[in-house]
Amino acid sequence: NEIGHSGIERSGESLLGIDFNPTFDSLESAVSEYDKMYRSESQVAASLQAVTRPIANAHWFFTEGDPEVIRYLEGMLFSPRSPVKWKSFLLQGGLHILHGFGIFEKIWKRLPDGDIVIEKLAHRKATSIYGWEFQEKNGKPTDDLRAIVKKPRNNGFAINDTDYPRIPVEQAVHFVINQEGDSPQGEGSFRSAYPPYYFKDMIRRLA
């Protein structure tokens, strides 16, 4: 049996002690600050584009497997007629480099012949994520993620816990980068660029 745990402390759906800087210790505040950096600092935006654009513009294909299965998967994912919109998926998925995590919801549909296929991979913006729900064992929380907790629609007023939609982890595509322990939140790759960005932004405001 597992004795220890990853060391990630939690309170409800929130992670605690993620960063010494309060700006990045809260999920909502961190995502907001990363967005500000991306939209106001050209070097941050250019660096992110330099990573994500070549990946999205590459020619994607499968190299091994049953030819019939390969044709089916490539048609479902990479075809211009595919509802998945592969290039958009890669570009939006690349935002996890900025925020530390990225979430998509897998939407399925049943065809008339009975086949079940991916209808779309729906992006769930980092600003729409409220927190994380973890599995329990013997009445105690574990380090295993159970669901992604979203904010109420349109950031509306929540009456009770059921107003926060939950995406089961099995129904999600979850990107994470710079992960410590089992943190589903990761850390944005531009976190270390924040101090010079902060002072540059202060000087810009005073100018």
Side-chain angles (χ1 to χ4, degrees):
N1 292 331
E2 190 171 358
I3 298 174
H5 62 89
S6 69
I8 301 299
E9 302 298 331
R10 305 189 293 269
S11 176
E13 287 90 10
S14 301
L15 305 183
L16 302 176
I18 295 298
D19 198 295
F20 66 87
N21 188 328
T23 300
F24 295 95
D25 201 35
S26 155
L27 171 59
E28 183 173 16
S29 176
V31 168
S32 175
E33 200 63 34
Y34 284 131
D35 273 350
K36 289 178 185 177
M37 293 175 68
Y38 176 66
R39 298 180 192 283
S40 62
E41 178 53 62
S42 59
Q43 289 183 326
V44 171
S47 297
L48 184 62
Q49 295 292 327
V51 173
T52 58
R53 287 289 172 179
I55 294 173
N57 291 328
H59 176 58
W60 288 80
F61 55 92
F62 293 98
T63 58
E64 296 182 4
D66 183 277
E68 185 175 344
V69 174
I70 287 178
R71 283 194 299 272
Y72 178 81
L73 291 175
E74 289 184 342
M76 185 171 63
L77 295 175
F78 309 145
S79 167
R81 298 185 299 274
S82 169
V84 171
K85 309 299 182 189
W86 185 251
K87 183 174 181 178
S88 176
F89 168 71
L90 293 174
L91 288 173
Q92 295 190 84
L95 290 174
H96 80 282
I97 299 170
L98 175 69
H99 298 121
F101 69 94
I103 304 293
F104 289 80
E105 185 176 351
K106 292 181 281 190
I107 311 297
W108 302 88
K109 72 174 180 179
R110 185 183 295 274
L111 300 178
D113 61 5
D115 285 349
I116 298 176
V117 298
I118 284 281
E119 183 175 18
K120 65 177 178 178
L121 294 171
H123 185 226
R124 302 302 180 225
K125 291 183 64 176
T127 52
S128 75
I129 304 302
Y130 176 77
W132 319 95
E133 184 180 278
F134 291 83
Q135 296 183 21
E136 294 185 356
K137 184 177 181 180
N138 300 323
K140 296 182 178 180
T142 69
D143 291 325
D144 298 318
L145 188 65
R146 177 162 57 195
I148 295 96
V149 184
K150 284 184 54 62
K151 295 176 182 176
R153 184 177 290 273
N154 298 323
N155 289 327
F157 182 71
I159 303 298
N160 51 52
D161 191 57
T162 58
D163 291 324
Y164 292 89
R166 282 160 166 75
I167 303 174
V169 68
E170 298 84 2
Q171 197 173 324
V173 177
H174 177 201
F175 294 106
V176 63
I177 194 170
N178 301 323
Q179 184 181 39
E180 291 190 7
D182 290 314
S183 168
Q185 209 162 297
E187 181 181 79
S189 293
F190 298 99
R191 170 63 184 90
S192 60
Y194 180 70
Y197 158 80
Y198 175 81
F199 289 111
K200 181 178 178 180
D201 187 55
M202 290 292 292
I203 294 172
R204 186 165 47 202
R205 290 170 183 266
L206 293 172

